[in-house]
Amino acid sequence: MQKAIKHKLFFNHAPEQVWEYLTNAALMEQWLMKSDFQPIVGQDFQFKTRPMPNFDFDGNIYCKVLEVVPPEKLSYT
């Protein structure tokens, strides 16, 4: 079984504009989830969504920034 999911998408926009939507927490919230993301390697952050107590899920998705190469590569857990 593979341990990684990789997505490769093409957006017809300047790389800097796409990068802004991938790394600015306020813009990320528009298309993904609310978070306290900062594009700093080693930074812990959380995506926040609706809790689901029946599944013992508090609504927080705990993540860590692994790699930041503006505006080419962003990797996080």
Side-chain angles (χ1 to χ4, degrees):
M1 174 187 341
Q2 290 187 1
K3 294 185 179 184
I5 298 173
K6 295 182 181 185
H7 295 275
K8 189 171 187 174
L9 304 168
F10 177 78
F11 296 96
N12 194 20
H13 301 282
E16 294 77 18
Q17 187 178 7
V18 175
W19 185 258
E20 186 73 10
Y21 275 84
L22 293 174
T23 59
N24 178 309
L27 296 174
M28 290 170 74
E29 185 176 352
Q30 292 179 18
W31 63 273
L32 188 57
M33 283 179 261
K34 185 174 182 173
S35 74
D36 58 350
F37 177 84
Q38 294 180 35
I40 301 169
V41 173
Q43 183 76 31
D44 292 316
F45 71 98
Q46 296 175 20
F47 284 115
K48 300 173 188 305
T49 189
R50 182 177 50 87
M52 292 186 266
N54 292 345
F55 295 99
D56 197 28
F57 176 58
D58 65 1
N60 296 314
I61 302 166
Y62 300 90
C63 307
K64 182 182 223 86
V65 179
L66 302 177
E67 189 172 7
V68 178
V69 183
E72 298 174 10
K73 187 174 183 180
L74 176 64
S75 176
Y76 54 84
T77 61

